[in-house]
């Protein structure tokens, strides 16, 4: 039978594995479509971590809720910047979006599991 700490470890390991795969695909792949999809996956994970940070820590830990809001806004901005860069064929926008998405993902994970 699993207790709550076991479930927390399972959630942490699954989010960490998905995040690592998304980060590796963002950085190492040459295919632009795969990079855009990995930015969207990283943004989805980041939005989940932002939601957890806002909902579960918002009552007592205002700093973590504010960080969750900032991380969520950064993830949405990264997705928008990715699609704007794809539409205008601007590699610089897409690179900035990948960096912002990566930083937001790491900050979101640290917000809910380490801080």
């Amino acid at each position: 039978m699993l207790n709550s700490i076991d479930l927390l470890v399972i959630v942490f390991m699954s989010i960490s594995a998905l995040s690592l795969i998304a980060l590796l695909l963002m950085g190492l792949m040459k295919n632009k479509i795969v990079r855009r999809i990995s930015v969207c996956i990283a943004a989805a994970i980041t939005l989940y971590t932002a939601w957890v940070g806002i909902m579960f820590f918002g009552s007592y830990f205002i700093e973590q809720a504010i960080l969750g809001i900032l991380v969520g806004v950064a993830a949405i901005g990264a997705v928008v910047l990715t699609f704007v860069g794809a539409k205008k064929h601007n590699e610089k926008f897409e690179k900035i979006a990948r960096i912002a998405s990566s930083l937001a993902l790491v900050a979101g994970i640290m917000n809910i599991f380490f801080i």
Side-chain angles (χ1 to χ4, degrees):
M1 194 63 157
L2 297 174
N3 57 14
S4 60
I5 196 73
D6 294 336
L7 293 174
L8 183 65
V9 168
I10 291 170
V11 168
F12 173 71
M13 295 302 285
S14 61
I15 287 177
S16 297
L18 284 172
S19 300
L20 184 63
I21 289 170
L23 289 174
L24 287 175
L25 286 176
M26 258 191 286
L28 298 177
M29 294 299 289
K30 299 278 184 188
N31 192 352
K32 291 181 182 181
I33 296 172
V34 174
R35 287 192 302 203
R36 290 179 193 139
I37 291 171
S38 65
V39 167
C40 292
I41 291 171
I45 296 169
T46 304
L47 287 174
Y48 173 73
T49 59
W51 177 77
V52 169
I54 293 167
M55 294 301 294
F56 297 130
F57 301 130
S59 305
Y60 302 108
F61 305 106
I62 301 300
E63 296 85 12
Q64 284 185 317
I66 291 171
L67 187 61
I69 291 170
L70 292 175
V71 164
V73 168
I76 292 170
V79 170
V80 168
L81 201 58
T82 298
F83 289 123
V84 167
K87 187 170 183 165
K88 292 187 176 186
H89 302 289
N90 193 344
E91 185 66 32
K92 184 186 249 186
F93 282 167
E94 292 187 39
K95 187 170 188 166
I96 292 170
R98 288 194 309 266
I99 292 169
S101 180
S102 301
L103 291 175
L105 181 62
V106 171
I109 290 174
M110 288 182 67
N111 184 30
I112 64 170
F113 287 116
F114 298 124
I115 297 177

